[in-house]
Amino acid sequence: RMTRLVTDLLSLSRIETAEHTAPNEEVVVLRPLAEHLAAAAELTAARRGIRIELDIDADLPALIANSDQISQVLQNLLENAIKYGRDQSVVTIRAEIASELPASVTLQSEDLVAISVTDQGEGIPREHIPRLTERFYRVDTARSRELGGTGLGLAIVKHIVSRHRGALTIDSKVGVGSRFTVYIPCVAPGVTKSQLFAAG
């Protein structure tokens, strides 16, 4: 646990250092990345009878993003969904062009992809949701430690999304489950990779 804690602290420190510089010279095709992460988590999920489902359009525009950091966001959200989902349930990774934004999201970019990870767990009481991305904040400290959490996973997600000039929303209903959605800028339709590099 101490090793995981130190690793997460170092990761968070690196992300914060680069947070003022938005990635603008790399494009990430999301579906193969999500497929790889889902395959890597499949054994852990299967131990509890959890099935991971992907709902990602193969024609989804590429993200303007750092591949390693987007991978870390998805991995953290997927690990949480598996940890806190019910046995014999489903975790869904969905991605689509964000046609409408929640009222809480104010972003300058018009071209965004909404990536959500949804579990069928116990849900999170409303009063805890605003504090979930704080460092070391836990809804249930004992259970989080028992499951191996460091209390930094969602803080890392928040800072990575901030670096990408995106947004994070959390929706949860007690007894039903939770959905974590990140909004990340994507390549506008008609823009080629070479044009993106030239613009950067």
Side-chain angles (χ1 to χ4, degrees), residues 9-21 69 135 155 159-160 163:
L9 282 170
L10 290 173
S11 178
L12 185 56
S13 178
R14 286 193 297 269
I15 294 162
E16 288 177 327
T17 299
E19 194 168 345
H20 66 284
T21 307
Q69 290 189 343
R135 298 182 190 199
H159 284 283
I160 289 176
R163 188 201 170 201

Side-chain angles (χ1 to χ4, degrees), residues 125-141:
R126 181 176 298 179
E127 64 270 21
H128 292 288
I129 291 177
R131 299 191 62 190
L132 287 179
T133 58
E134 294 178 11
R135 298 182 190 199
F136 304 115
Y137 187 82
R138 295 179 173 93
V139 176
D140 185 336
T141 300

Side-chain angles (χ1 to χ4, degrees), residues 1 7 12-13 36-37 73 103 106 120 140 153 156 158 175 177:
R1 183 172 176 272
T7 299
L12 185 56
S13 178
H36 172 74
L37 292 171
V73 165
T106 305
Q120 297 173 343
D140 185 336
I156 289 171
K158 174 188 174 182

